[in-house]
Amino acid sequence: KGLRPQLFLHLDLHGRPCRVSCRGALRVIYVDADACPVKAEVEKVGTRHGVKMFIVSNGGLRPSQNPLVETVIVPDGPDLADIWIADRATVGDVVITGDIPLAAKCVEGGAKVLKHNGEALTQANIGNILATRDLMADIRAADPFRQGGGKAFSKADKSRFLDALERELRSVKRA
């Protein structure tokens, strides 16, 4: 017989099926960890909320001793960490990434997405952000002598991120 609408089938970490309510349930935090400046902050806030976290990269990270944190090392290759996260992120999950195409896939799947500076990526803004990213890539490609890049990650960015993550975790729990 079918599941009730507010329930969905999920496999636990051992591959066993379990029923999980998506109403008011924060399931998982996924962190696209390659070049992520807020891994420690995610672990701190996620631990305070008792949420399982997956830190996903293609290597070079020291595994956390925290039982709520699972370090996932994917093989070297373009976007394999992104694919791993996008294949799993769904309603009730929070994804931390600076990768706009990954963010678009996760938003489409129903996950909440935050950039490292605390900016929320949603259905309402992801299209414009993706288009701007593509436009800027074209501009950079047209001018190979262009110097400079984005602004440096600041203490204010870290503070905005912590506030935004706290708000997202509380909103998912209340939903």
Side-chain angles (χ1 to χ4, degrees), residues 8 56 60 90 169:
F8 59 92
V56 185
T90 188
L169 295 182

Side-chain angles (χ1 to χ4, degrees), residues 19-30:
R19 288 169 48 142
V20 180
S21 171
C22 61
R23 184 173 297 152
L26 176 61
R27 295 181 6 132
V28 175
I29 298 173
Y30 293 101

